[in-house]
Every structure is written in structure tokens, then in C-alpha cells.
């Protein structure tokens, strides 16, 4: 995936955000952390997820899956709310069968929280943003 364009939530300036980078993306104008939402597949999963310097929320989804499309806005909202502290990476299981197999994905959506290459928690199924926020906060809030 090419570099994405993200609008800063603080000043409104548009910024280029690469799918992988050291640290966290920040606005070139005001320095505010930017939401980090990208895609990964079999060939770049390790670089975009396991090598990330911040926790990653991985969304294993499929284009044909209605619950996957329903939960996507909630996941993107969560990524915006936690800009600078959480990266959202979407993995299409149909285009990335090796990654889906590696993590034994049997249902979509399957969500995983990954930190430093280690899966901290996972859950299957769609949920509203409040429930997802609670899950993420519970899993990441108590960890250094």
C-alpha cells in the first residue's frame, strides 16, 4: 500500500503517513500525533505489525463479510481517538491466506492486539466502539 494521506485532527493540515515507520506519525505543521491506519498482507505483515513501535490493533476481515464492514468505522474511530498510541492495520484474509492461517483465523472479523510482535489478546466478531474501546483499554492500560 502506498503512503496514505491523513488530515490532522488538531490543525486540519493534510499529511502523508507511511504504512511503516519508526516512532509515530506526527503532523508536519503542529506536531500533533496522527491517526495511523494502514493495510498489510502476507508479504509485509511483519514490517507493518510486528516491527511497529506502538501497539497494533489488527483487523482480520473479508470484503464479503457484512459484520466486517459494520465494525470498520468503529475501529477507525478508535484509531483516531488513540492517535499516537495505537496503530490500526487491516488484513484482508482472502488476499492474505498465509497470515490468516498463521493466526488460525476461523471467523471474520477477528481482532488482535499486538505489541512487539506478540499477540496480547484477540476476539472474534463485531462490536460497538464503546465495547472495543473498553477491550483495548483493559488490555493496553495495564501494560507498560
Amino acid at each position: 500500500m502506498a503512503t496514505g494521506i491523513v488530515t490532522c485532527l488538531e490543525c486540519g493540515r493534510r499529511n502523508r503517513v507511511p504504512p511503516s515507520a519508526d516512532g509515530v506519525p506526527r503532523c508536519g505543521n503542529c506536531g500533533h500525533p496522527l491517526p495511523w491506519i494502514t493495510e498489510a498482507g502476507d508479504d509485509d505483515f511483519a514490517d507493518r505489525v510486528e516491527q511497529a513501535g506502538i501497539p497494533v490493533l489488527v483487523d482480520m476481515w473479508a470484503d464479503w463479510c457484512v459484520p466486517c464492514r459494520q465494525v470498520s468505522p468503529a475501529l477507525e474511530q478508535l484509531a483516531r481517538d488513540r492517535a499516537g498510541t495505537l496503530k490500526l492495520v487491516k488484513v484482508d484474509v482472502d488476499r492474505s491466506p498465509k497470515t490468516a492461517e498463521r493466526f488460525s483465523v476461523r471467523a471474520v472479523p477477528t481482532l488482535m492486539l499486538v505489541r512487539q510482535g506478540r499477540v496480547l489478546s484477540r476476539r472474534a466478531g463485531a462490536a460497538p466502539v464503546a465495547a472495543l474501546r473498553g477491550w483495548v483499554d483493559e488490555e493496553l492500560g495495564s501494560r507498560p
Side-chain angles (χ1 to χ4, degrees):
M1 180 173 155
T3 301
I5 304 294
V6 176
T7 300
C8 177
L9 302 173
E10 189 70 20
C11 72
R13 184 170 187 174
R14 294 170 48 92
N15 294 264
R16 294 183 192 279
V17 177
S20 300
D22 291 332
V24 297
R26 294 190 172 275
C27 178
N29 185 52
C30 71
H32 194 266
L34 296 168
W36 204 355
I37 302 170
T38 192
E39 298 175 355
D42 288 341
D43 295 335
D44 52 19
F45 184 87
D47 183 50
R48 296 185 183 179
V49 174
E50 296 169 342
Q51 302 301 317
I54 60 174
V56 180
L57 174 55
V58 178
D59 175 19
M60 300 286 219
W61 69 284
D63 188 50
W64 48 264
C65 169
V66 173
C68 295
R69 291 193 306 268
Q70 291 172 331
V71 78
S72 188
L75 296 172
E76 291 172 10
Q77 179 62 50
L78 190 56
R80 285 190 297 275
D81 293 347
R82 288 181 143 254
T85 62
L86 184 71
K87 180 178 184 179
L88 173 61
V89 177
K90 297 169 155 284
V91 179
D92 183 334
V93 296
D94 291 331
R95 293 184 185 159
S96 307
K98 291 178 185 173
T99 303
E101 182 179 331
R102 174 180 168 199
F103 293 101
S104 302
V105 174
R106 302 287 179 250
V108 288
T110 291
L111 307 175
M112 299 186 303
L113 283 169
V114 178
R115 177 182 270 160
Q116 298 173 339
R118 187 172 67 87
V119 177
L120 302 175
S121 181
R122 65 186 283 161
R123 66 183 288 164
V129 71
L132 294 170
R133 185 176 290 113
W135 173 60
V136 169
D137 290 345
E138 181 180 323
E139 293 300 325
L140 298 180
S142 64
R143 300 182 196 283

